[in-house]
Amino acid sequence: MPDPESGEIKSYVEQLIAATLGGTMKWTQVNPTTYVWDTRVPQPARLSLQRLERQELRPSLGQPIPSIQKVHSFVFQAFESQPGGTLIQRLGIASQENKELNQLLDKLFQTIDQLRTRQSLDFLKNIIPPTKQQ
Amino acid sequence: MTVDTQSVSDQVLELLRQPFWRRYDFWIGFAIGIAGLVFSILAFIEARKAKTAANAAARTVKSQTVAIELTEIALKLDRIKPDIRFSEARDLLAEISRRFHRATSPFGNDPGLSETIKTNVEALRQVRESLKAVRPTDPAKEGEAPLAVYNAVEEACSQISSSVADLIGLFEREAVDFGDDDA
């Protein structure tokens, strides 16, 4: 597993954000907190981005007692797709301990989420029959 | 009235005039009564002790049973595999939750246990929330994110396992009873 501190990973994540925004990567939602992207070229592979939520005791401003806050972290995985549909994990990164990477993956997740929401709204807009006022 | 009858009557009257505490048979009856009362009080005290001991024994047995039940729960939590599927995790969590509540509900108001029980109940609630977050959009395509369920619940299950271990320790202490009463 590569060092999550490495700038190389961050650079790849930035490329993923750009590709997602550019529309060259179409992510699929497999559950409320996980998106996957499949590719056939240059070799069959799958990327997976999962958001994890946990509760942490954190100091709150102006309060002597720390409060429970929801904290998000991410698991980013890359799988090699084998013939027959078997997936072999080639990369697995948990961003819990890396704040900078966590922010980047959060940005990627939000980008995917916003694009999917936009697509869903566009779909809804297209299928709703026009009203007389329009 | 004959002379004999008169004599007997006089003797009876003489006896009746005499204060009862001056009669030896009164003191025999009194002594027997006091002894009976003392033995009754002693029997009551012993019965109370026996009841307390029986209650303590029942609590010890119950604590041991709960400790065994919680150990099984902890083992199940530790055996979660990376390839666990959503339906398996849901069933496992339902079973663990049901067994945990059944085992610990009699001790919910126990001052020495209630706080740790509440911590575990909250941890179970959190893992249920974590599991909800990975409910497959399409169950047929769950395999597309093979480790998603494990990623979501592994940390929470590990926390519950630790927390359950704390509770096992408390129940084992209850069973052994190192309390101040026995010191």
Side-chain angles (χ1 to χ4, degrees):
Chain A
M1 186 182 287
D3 178 13
E5 294 289 337
S6 72
E8 199 174 354
I9 293 289
K10 290 168 195 163
S11 162
Y12 291 147
V13 175
E14 281 165 355
Q15 286 179 45
L16 290 173
I17 294 169
T20 304
L21 280 170
T24 51
M25 287 180 79
K26 305 280 186 194
W27 296 79
T28 311
Q29 190 172 30
V30 291
N31 64 49
T33 53
T34 309
Y35 289 103
V36 296
W37 174 73
D38 283 305
T39 183
R40 291 276 134 211
V41 287
Q43 66 178 90
R46 175 175 296 162
L47 295 183
S48 159
L49 179 64
Q50 181 176 6
R51 187 181 66 191
L52 305 177
E53 187 179 278
R54 66 181 192 285
Q55 293 186 337
E56 273 187 6
L57 273 176
R58 291 198 167 180
S60 45
L61 283 173
Q63 297 290 327
I65 303 167
S67 58
I68 295 174
Q69 291 179 8
K70 286 183 178 177
V71 179
H72 288 151
S73 66
F74 297 86
V75 176
F76 179 69
Q77 294 164 297
F79 299 93
E80 182 184 332
S81 299
Q82 296 280 309
T86 312
L87 294 169
I88 296 171
Q89 188 178 345
R90 294 290 186 200
L91 177 78
I93 300 168
S95 68
Q96 195 172 330
E97 303 297 326
N98 188 327
K99 195 176 173 184
E100 203 176 337
L101 182 62
N102 198 59
Q103 284 173 346
L104 271 174
L105 290 174
D106 190 22
K107 190 177 174 187
L108 175 60
F109 191 91
Q110 284 185 30
T111 304
I112 298 165
D113 205 37
Q114 283 163 7
L115 281 172
R116 281 194 56 84
T117 305
R118 184 71 263 154
Q119 286 166 2
S120 303
L121 290 174
D122 288 345
F123 171 76
L124 187 63
K125 187 180 164 188
N126 286 338
I127 61 169
I128 292 175
T131 55
K132 285 178 182 176
Q133 285 87 358
Q134 286 179 330
Chain B
M1 189 181 286
T2 62
V3 176
D4 284 348
T5 312
Q6 182 65 43
S7 171
V8 170
S9 177
D10 289 346
Q11 281 177 8
V12 169
L13 285 172
E14 182 60 30
L15 281 171
L16 288 173
R17 277 192 210 103
Q18 206 176 29
F20 66 89
W21 59 85
R22 296 226 174 131
R23 287 160 49 190
Y24 70 92
D25 55 343
F26 163 75
W27 288 107
I28 292 170
F30 182 77
I32 291 170
I34 291 293
L37 183 65
V38 168
F39 280 115
S40 296
I41 290 169
L42 289 173
F44 174 75
I45 291 167
E46 289 303 315
R48 285 284 296 267
K49 281 184 185 172
K51 187 183 174 187
T52 308
N55 283 341
R59 188 180 167 86
T60 300
V61 171
K62 179 68 180 164
S63 296
Q64 284 173 338
T65 309
V66 173
I68 291 166
E69 184 79 2
L70 291 175
T71 305
E72 286 177 16
I73 289 173
L75 285 173
K76 275 185 177 285
L77 285 166
D78 291 341
R79 284 181 192 151
I80 288 180
K81 293 176 182 171
D83 60 350
I84 189 166
R85 297 182 74 83
F86 177 82
S87 57
E88 293 169 343
R90 184 194 55 207
D91 293 347
L92 177 70
L93 192 60
E95 184 196 339
I96 284 171
S97 190
R98 187 180 61 248
R99 289 175 72 172
F100 181 84
H101 280 94
R102 192 184 63 201
T104 59
S105 60
F107 301 91
N109 293 325
D110 190 304
L113 299 166
S114 61
E115 206 55 42
T116 316
I117 289 172
K118 277 180 195 167
T119 305
N120 276 275
V121 169
E122 174 59 21
L124 281 167
R125 192 195 62 77
Q126 277 185 33
V127 78
R128 272 198 300 272
E129 289 298 315
S130 300
L131 193 60
K132 265 186 205 170
V134 287
R135 182 190 295 276
T137 312
D138 178 0
K141 294 181 179 175
E142 189 186 342
E144 289 188 359
L147 301 172
V149 175
Y150 181 76
N151 291 336
V153 301
E154 185 265 337
E155 189 180 337
C157 284
S158 177
Q159 283 174 356
I160 295 175
S161 184
S162 303
S163 193
V164 165
D166 288 342
L167 202 52
I168 291 169
L170 290 176
F171 275 107
E172 283 175 345
R173 191 189 66 184
E174 286 266 318
V176 175
D177 194 8
F178 287 125
D180 295 339
D181 294 344
D182 293 345

